[in-house]
Amino acid sequence: MESRERSRQPRVTVHSVAAAAGVSKSTVSRILDERLPRSDSETARRVRKIAAELGYVRDVSAASLRRGNTMTIGVIVPRLTDTVMAMLYEAIVKACARTGRFAIVATTEDNPEADRVAAESLLNRGVDGLILSTARDDDTFPDELNERGVPYVLALRTDHHSLSAVGDDRLGGYLATRHLLDLGHQRIGVIAGPGYASSATGRVEGYKQALAEACISVDPALIVPSTFGIQSGAEAVQTLMALDCRPTAIFAVNDNTAIGALSALNKMGLSVPDDISLIGYNDIPIVSHLSTPLTTLRVPFDQIASHALELLTQTTAPRENRILVSAPTLIPRKSTARFLGASDITR
């Protein structure tokens, strides 16, 4: 009975707190707005104390209606079982929280039609805009959103003209390959990822750039397409190791395919890095704890998420810097080693 009576009590509003504190409604709103810098003045402390005593809870929905938005961002990712996408989403959640926003996610299995269905569902729920990590070079969905006037930003992948927050994939591919070249490897295989994803194609472009600088011709047989999945990495490495002239090192364009490659190499009786060096990409948490800790490229997900939210929430679209790029960092570990079967490559 007591809980029923309590539920019938009128909601404590900003007006209630202002009246009890003897200050204006605008003063209370400013002090209790978690998005603003916290004031430690005597008035602010008193207002917060009275608000707590009265049981004030900020009405986010009412505030959103007054502003004409819901402070909610829709995020579309291929899948959350992919650690990279889970890390991106968590970074977006943190970036949203810093500005009083909330993120909700939909997964689409990298299916373009599912992207469209998910976007409509999120928009029907009143999100203020979309962050998509599912952009494909063979799909016009971002252009369709643009024509409809839907606010959106691409993250991790780009179509090269939409507002985008991405890692510098070409630089990352270059750094990975340069690392292997510096260790004396010349025959370097690539588990290349899917050709529709700018992240994968950018890393392969960086690989080719590093080889060109070292005056090494690109052997198409050493570039094996894959998905971003573990099993695909295992299958790709079997293709590479079946070549008459095997690679001495492999660059996998993400950590999942590198993990699959490592497992397959072990089953073949090959030691990493004694028989073959292996490098991944993204630095997901598990790779530093493998039996052979993986050399990889660390992607700054927090920075990419902040850039995505910044682009999405700015009032006017920028004429320049439409694609904000964050640099990866090479993290050397034990899966790469000097190739002893050839002399060092001269820089």
Side-chain angles (χ1 to χ4, degrees):
M1 183 68 179
E2 181 182 348
S3 61
R4 289 184 181 178
E5 290 298 324
R6 187 178 300 145
S7 67
R8 292 173 185 168
Q9 295 297 319
R11 182 183 181 89
V12 178
T13 65
V14 171
H15 294 280
S16 309
V17 178
V23 296
S24 69
K25 173 191 165 188
S26 60
T27 297
V28 173
S29 296
R30 186 171 62 254
I31 291 171
L32 298 182
D33 192 334
E34 295 156 349
R35 299 167 301 156
L36 300 177
R38 183 181 175 88
S39 171
D40 199 37
S41 68
E42 181 179 346
T43 299
R45 290 195 298 270
R46 181 162 55 86
V47 166
R48 284 194 291 269
K49 182 173 182 294
I50 291 172
E53 291 172 347
L54 293 176
Y56 170 78
V57 178
R58 183 166 173 259
D59 188 343
V60 177
S61 60
S64 297
L65 286 172
R66 288 193 296 272
R67 287 189 300 266
N69 57 33
T70 63
M71 299 297 284
T72 305
I73 304 299
V75 183
I76 298 178
V77 302
R79 58 192 64 82
L80 287 176
T81 51
D82 184 330
T83 306
V84 169
M85 294 302 166
M87 292 172 71
L88 173 67
Y89 177 59
E90 289 180 357
I92 292 171
V93 168
K94 292 176 184 176
C96 285
R98 289 194 294 269
T99 58
R101 292 179 170 85
F102 185 75
I104 55 177
V105 66
T107 60
T108 63
E109 292 297 323
D110 237 338
N111 182 314
E113 289 310 311
D115 288 348
R116 289 168 169 80
V117 172
E120 289 303 319
S121 180
L122 291 168
L123 292 170
N124 288 339
R125 284 164 172 76
V127 298
D128 298 328
L130 300 171
I131 298 177
L132 300 91
S133 65
T134 54
R136 301 168 63 107
D137 287 344
D138 58 358
D139 187 50
T140 60
F141 183 45
D143 294 329
E144 294 168 18
L145 292 174
N146 184 57
E147 290 173 2
R148 292 171 54 188
V150 174
Y152 75 94
V153 169
L154 308 182
L156 291 186
R157 303 182 197 169
T158 181
D159 61 2
H160 307 290
H161 60 267
S162 295
L163 294 177
S164 307
V166 296
D168 193 334
D169 295 303
R170 186 184 183 104
L171 173 62
Y174 174 87
L175 292 174
T177 310
R178 185 71 258 176
H179 172 67
L180 296 172
L181 291 168
D182 288 344
L183 290 172
H185 298 277
Q186 296 191 25
R187 191 158 177 79
I188 301 170
V190 180
I191 301 175
Y196 60 73
S198 66
S199 52
T201 56
R203 293 164 198 175
V204 174
E205 288 170 3
Y207 159 83
K208 293 178 179 179
Q209 178 186 349
L211 290 184
E213 289 184 5
C215 298
I216 298 174
S217 299
V218 174
D219 182 350
L222 289 174
I223 303 176
V224 180
S226 69
T227 69
F228 284 128
I230 292 175
Q231 181 59 35
S232 187
E235 294 167 358
V237 85
Q238 290 169 357
T239 300
L240 286 169
M241 301 314 290
L243 295 173
D244 290 336
C245 187
R246 292 178 168 184
T248 65
I250 295 174
F251 166 38
V253 299
N254 78 334
D255 287 338
N256 278 345
T257 51
I259 290 170
L262 180 63
S263 175
L265 290 167
N266 287 337
K267 290 177 181 177
M268 294 176 195
L270 296 172
S271 171
V272 174
D274 295 337
D275 296 319
I276 187 166
S277 286
L278 177 66
I279 184 169
Y281 204 106
N282 286 314
D283 195 30
I284 63 176
I286 189 64
V287 299
S288 63
H289 301 285
L290 298 173
S291 56
T292 303
L294 186 68
T295 297
T296 188
L297 275 293
R298 178 174 295 163
V299 174
F301 292 104
D302 286 343
Q303 188 175 66
I304 291 171
S306 295
H307 282 167
L309 193 60
E310 174 188 330
L311 289 169
L312 186 63
T313 58
Q314 58 193 355
T315 54
T316 57
R319 294 182 180 179
E320 300 178 352
N321 297 325
R322 294 181 59 82
I323 301 177
L324 299 182
V325 180
S326 301
T329 305
L330 177 69
I331 308 295
R333 295 195 181 102
K334 294 184 178 180
S335 67
T336 50
R338 183 167 294 279
F339 177 55
L340 301 178
S343 59
D344 293 344
I345 294 176
T346 303
R347 290 175 182 251

